Amino acid sequence: MIPGGGQPNMQQLLQQAQKMQQDLARAQEELARTEVDGQAGGGLVKATVTGSGELRGLVIDPKAVDPEDTETLADLIVAAVQAANENAQQLQQDKLGPLAQGLGGVPGLGF
């Protein structure tokens, strides 16, 4: 509802929407550059992903490598990548959450 019963200033709304889109694009670029880690097995396996979820690195401590038990190593790798992705999702929520909420009030840009 517009105070005084007037019409919304469409130019102002469009400028606000464009600024929000630019802020969102900047935040997404920052997420793609930011790296977060996850680990499993008390640090025997560490995974690094970007804030957008791209796997960038995997470090496996030699103590985790048992040729007779590759299944456990595989489980540790999966757990480390999942932990890293959970951290990336939290980072996304921290960075994009306020922006997405702001865009929710603009018709056609709601999330």
Side-chain angles (χ1 to χ4, degrees):
M1 176 131 284
I2 304 301
Q7 294 295 316
N9 181 333
M10 291 307 289
Q11 182 66 26
Q12 187 179 11
L13 285 175
L14 286 173
Q15 287 174 348
Q16 184 180 11
Q18 287 174 339
K19 183 186 179 314
M20 288 178 168
Q21 284 180 317
Q22 290 169 350
D23 290 347
L24 183 59
R26 264 194 298 280
Q28 289 172 326
E29 288 172 14
E30 185 179 335
L31 282 172
R33 290 189 310 265
T34 304
E35 293 184 347
V36 293
D37 295 320
Q39 60 178 322
L44 289 175
V45 177
K46 296 178 186 175
T48 301
V49 299
T50 64
S52 58
E54 179 185 346
L55 182 62
R56 286 284 176 93
L58 188 62
V59 177
I60 302 171
D61 187 305
K63 293 180 220 158
V65 181
D66 177 357
E68 301 297 318
D69 185 16
T70 57
E71 205 170 294
T72 297
L73 178 57
D75 289 343
L76 289 173
I77 292 168
V78 168
V81 171
Q82 286 175 336
N85 278 324
E86 287 171 12
N87 291 335
Q89 287 175 354
Q90 183 60 51
L91 182 63
Q92 289 173 9
Q93 186 63 32
D94 293 346
K95 293 272 184 202
L96 300 179
L99 292 172
Q101 289 171 3
L103 289 172
V106 178
L109 296 176
F111 289 96

